[in-house]
Amino acid sequence: MGDTRRESDIGELTFYNFIIDSLPIAILTVNADFNITGFNPWAEEVTGYSEEEAIGHYCGEILKGGMCEDNCPLKAVLKRERPITQLETTIYNKQGDLVPVRMNTAALFDDDDNLIGGVEAFQDISRLKAIEREKDNLISMFAHDMKSSITIIGGFALRLLKKVGSLDEEKEKKYLEIIRKESGNLEFIVEDFLEFARLQTGKLKLDFGPTSLDRELMELFDAYQIKAKQSGIHLEFQTDDALPVIEADAQRLRRAFTNLFDNAFKFSESEGEVTLATDETDKNVTVSIKDQGNGIDPRDLPYIFDAFHRGRGARKEEGSGVGLAAVKAIVEGHGGKIHVESELGKGSVFTVSLPKSREA
């Protein structure tokens, strides 16, 4: 009987260890003296310490947490001041880098309610904090850019009003062209901001109706021919057959493809090539926009459609960081999918797949 119970206990312990090691969150356990007794692979990943280096050491020596000295959450739960704590704090990894973490701590008791230690589970939230900063920066950037364009428009409009009838035609045309350009910039900024607001609140509404993709894409292609010539980029349209009329929000789709075109041009060099290609299957139509630009770092690919994410190659370029997130939301709102393939130094291909009918 005793052997059977012992085997059962060992089996349960093995199972629990398997679960802890498999969880995608850093977990460490300590005894009543705050010495580490357990350290899972994710804890190794976040801290940089191996299990062998951590076991037996005082937890504060390994984590070097921002609250270790004065307000240790583990001490609070072990002293039964609080049964469990949830907080955001910082630790230092083995390399000495500061890592923001979201942490949960709890006390561990045996069957007789005796304190035997504690457990600490934490996640690296560096990327979340970076996104929060990008979000704050984005709001400031929108406000700054809008104010800049409004100031320029107001200034040149005032010049025109003060010199009505006295300006030569060439200078008057120049002033009006500046006003037109800045009003276009302002419109683009406002549209980006509205798109961002709708994405944040989940209120991206689509107005479906019969839409000719051929017409929409051809009009965009013609509009970008001028920009292509100015940038020294060769723009090509590859299509064999006319695409069917689909149910879509034409205005939103145009904005999605405009963002993809802008991206392709932004990262393309002079003498490069941007290719628009279309295809269809029984249920779907696909639209691909290919460039020969810088390409996307493989580390950025999983996050390329996240709001506020600006890849390593994009940080020196202008942009809000919400364009591709808006494209993804629009495409998925149509029941479609967007996919990207990219190789550093060789360019990227963004492929949009849309259903021919809403029922599909």
Side-chain angles (χ1 to χ4, degrees), residues 175-345:
Y175 287 178
L176 289 171
E177 179 59 30
I178 291 172
I179 291 173
R180 185 202 64 77
K181 180 182 176 183
E182 289 301 324
S183 65
N185 288 342
L186 187 59
E187 181 182 8
F188 192 84
I189 292 167
V190 170
E191 280 298 322
D192 250 6
F193 186 82
L194 291 175
E195 210 73 77
F196 158 69
R198 294 185 190 106
L199 284 168
Q200 289 297 99
T201 57
K203 294 179 179 178
L204 188 64
K205 303 292 184 182
L206 299 177
D207 184 15
F208 287 90
T211 301
S212 170
L213 269 182
D214 273 335
R215 185 186 68 194
E216 297 296 333
L217 293 172
M218 185 56 72
E219 287 180 0
L220 266 179
F221 181 79
D222 290 341
Y224 275 86
Q225 283 285 14
I226 299 172
K227 187 173 183 177
K229 289 179 181 177
Q230 292 173 341
S231 305
I233 294 171
H234 176 64
L235 185 59
E236 185 177 351
F237 195 168
Q238 295 178 349
T239 183
D240 295 327
D241 302 312
L243 294 176
V245 172
I246 67 170
E247 292 182 76
D249 183 327
Q251 184 178 0
R252 294 286 182 207
L253 275 187
R254 179 182 281 258
R255 178 153 183 79
F257 289 126
T258 295
N259 278 343
L260 292 177
F261 265 120
D262 283 340
N263 247 33
F265 274 78
K266 183 190 297 183
F267 298 107
S268 291
E269 302 289 342
S270 181
E271 304 301 323
E273 186 174 288
V274 173
T275 304
L276 171 66
T278 62
D279 198 5
E280 68 173 300
T281 63
D282 291 340
K283 295 183 179 180
N284 301 299
V285 293
T286 60
V287 179
S288 298
I289 296 176
K290 179 181 180 181
D291 66 65
Q292 296 175 335
N294 305 326
I296 301 166
D297 192 295
R299 292 169 292 179
D300 290 316
L301 276 175
Y303 315 111
I304 199 70
F305 296 108
D306 290 358
F308 316 117
H309 178 77
R310 288 172 56 75
R312 290 158 179 81
R315 289 170 184 165
K316 295 180 181 179
E317 302 288 341
E318 294 181 1
S320 62
V322 299
L324 289 178
V327 172
K328 184 173 185 281
I330 291 168
V331 171
E332 291 183 348
H334 283 79
K337 295 180 180 179
I338 183 167
H339 174 69
V340 60
E341 294 179 2
S342 187
E343 189 175 346
L344 277 176

Side-chain angles (χ1 to χ4, degrees), residues 105-138:
T105 61
L108 297 174
F109 302 94
D110 62 18
D111 293 339
D112 297 321
D113 203 33
N114 297 313
L115 179 69
I116 57 174
V119 61
E120 204 161 51
F122 51 99
Q123 290 175 293
D124 182 349
I125 55 172
S126 301
R127 186 166 172 272
L128 291 177
K129 289 298 181 183
I131 287 176
E132 287 178 7
R133 290 193 297 272
E134 287 284 352
K135 182 178 176 180
D136 293 339
N137 292 340
L138 178 63

Side-chain angles (χ1 to χ4, degrees), residues 2 12 16 51 73 81 83 89 135 165 171 188 205 275 289 312 352-353:
E12 286 183 11
Y16 290 142
E51 182 181 17
E81 294 173 7
T89 184
K135 182 178 176 180
K171 185 161 283 190
F188 192 84
K205 303 292 184 182
T275 304
I289 296 176
R312 290 158 179 81
V352 173
S353 177

